[in-house]
């Protein structure tokens, strides 16, 4: 786990392959999720995120949880929960402006996951995140720049409507004087220009 950048200070070593199926047998329970989160243990917090009730997750609790973030693994699971709770538009810009590495990662993890999972959301609403991606593409921290890259690629793969603006954003970053922005741009260009992505987008039905 440590080799993959997972914080193991308080971990039992149980894999997600075991935790996820177990979480499904538990079902949603807010009280239990709160107690599991407060324990501070990796596995308990993952179970908390898997079984929390998004309808009961307000912005104050999301901010309190973000204060505890210490691993990309926890961040990405929490991001999924935050998106499901409907907090993308508020938390993404707030967390992007936060200097803490894992909190900033949360912003772009949320954008990436929302681009995949919020299928009924208007594509145009994702355009507002491209300037945010450009602004923070120079962050040299590994877990941030990978999330920024992830968000850009997922926006570009969401639809033919978004592919063009995301591609132009990637091209701008690829010519940046900053090495981190260049890496993000070039990597995104490589995927967004691939035959696989091009074919899938052309065959994907456009929304009415």
């Amino acid at each position: 786990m440590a080799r993959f950048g997972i914080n193991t200070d308080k971990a039992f070593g149980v894999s997600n392959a075991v935790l996820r199926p177990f979480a499904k047998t538990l079902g949603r329970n807010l009280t239990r999720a709160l107690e599991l989160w407060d324990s501070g243990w990796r596995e308990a917090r993952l179970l908390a995120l898997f079984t929390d009730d998004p309808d009961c997750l307000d912005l104050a609790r999301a901010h309190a949880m973000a204060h505890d973030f210490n691993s990309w693994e926890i961040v990405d699971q929490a991001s999924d929960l935050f998106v499901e709770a409907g907090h993308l538009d508020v938390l993404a810009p707030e967390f992007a402006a936060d200097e803490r590495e894992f909190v900033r990662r949360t912003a772009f993890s949320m954008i990436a996951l929302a681009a995949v999972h919020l299928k009924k959301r208007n594509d145009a609403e994702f355009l507002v995140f491209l300037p945010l991606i450009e602004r923070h593409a120079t962050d040299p921290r590994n877990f941030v720049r990978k999330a920024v890259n992830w968000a850009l690629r997922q926006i570009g793969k969401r639809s033919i409507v978004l592919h063009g603006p995301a591609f132009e954003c990637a091209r701008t970053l690829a010519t940046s004087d900053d090495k981190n922005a260049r890496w993000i741009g070039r990597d995104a260009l490589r995927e967004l220009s691939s035959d696989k992505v091009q074919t899938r987008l052309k065959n994907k039905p456009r929304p009415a």
Side-chain angles (χ1 to χ4, degrees), residues 104-141:
R104 182 168 288 173
R105 179 186 172 89
T106 306
F108 296 99
S109 178
M110 287 180 69
I111 294 169
L113 290 165
V116 175
H117 297 307
L118 299 187
K119 299 186 184 300
K120 293 183 179 180
R121 191 178 176 98
N122 191 307
D123 285 342
E125 294 179 46
F126 284 92
L127 293 174
V128 300
F129 297 122
L130 293 178
L132 207 60
I133 286 171
E134 279 197 55
R135 191 176 310 133
H136 295 289
T138 57
D139 193 314
R141 294 171 294 185

Side-chain angles (χ1 to χ4, degrees), residues 102-205:
F102 288 113
V103 178
R104 182 168 288 173
R105 179 186 172 89
T106 306
F108 296 99
S109 178
M110 287 180 69
I111 294 169
L113 290 165
V116 175
H117 297 307
L118 299 187
K119 299 186 184 300
K120 293 183 179 180
R121 191 178 176 98
N122 191 307
D123 285 342
E125 294 179 46
F126 284 92
L127 293 174
V128 300
F129 297 122
L130 293 178
L132 207 60
I133 286 171
E134 279 197 55
R135 191 176 310 133
H136 295 289
T138 57
D139 193 314
R141 294 171 294 185
N142 187 50
F143 293 119
V144 174
R145 70 171 189 155
K146 284 190 173 181
V148 173
N149 171 263
W150 182 23
L152 178 56
R153 289 185 291 108
Q154 293 306 131
I155 290 175
K157 293 190 293 182
R158 179 180 168 90
S159 71
I160 196 69
V161 173
L162 290 172
H163 181 270
F167 192 88
E168 287 305 312
C169 178
R171 186 148 57 184
T172 298
L173 294 178
T175 59
S176 171
D177 293 333
D178 183 88
K179 66 177 183 180
N180 298 292
R182 283 200 306 275
W183 176 83
I184 290 170
R186 290 171 182 175
D187 187 73
L189 282 176
R190 186 161 44 249
E191 182 167 7
L192 295 179
S193 60
S194 68
D195 291 340
K196 180 180 178 181
V197 169
Q198 295 287 327
T199 300
R200 186 175 67 81
L201 288 176
K202 285 177 183 178
N203 294 332
K204 188 175 181 179

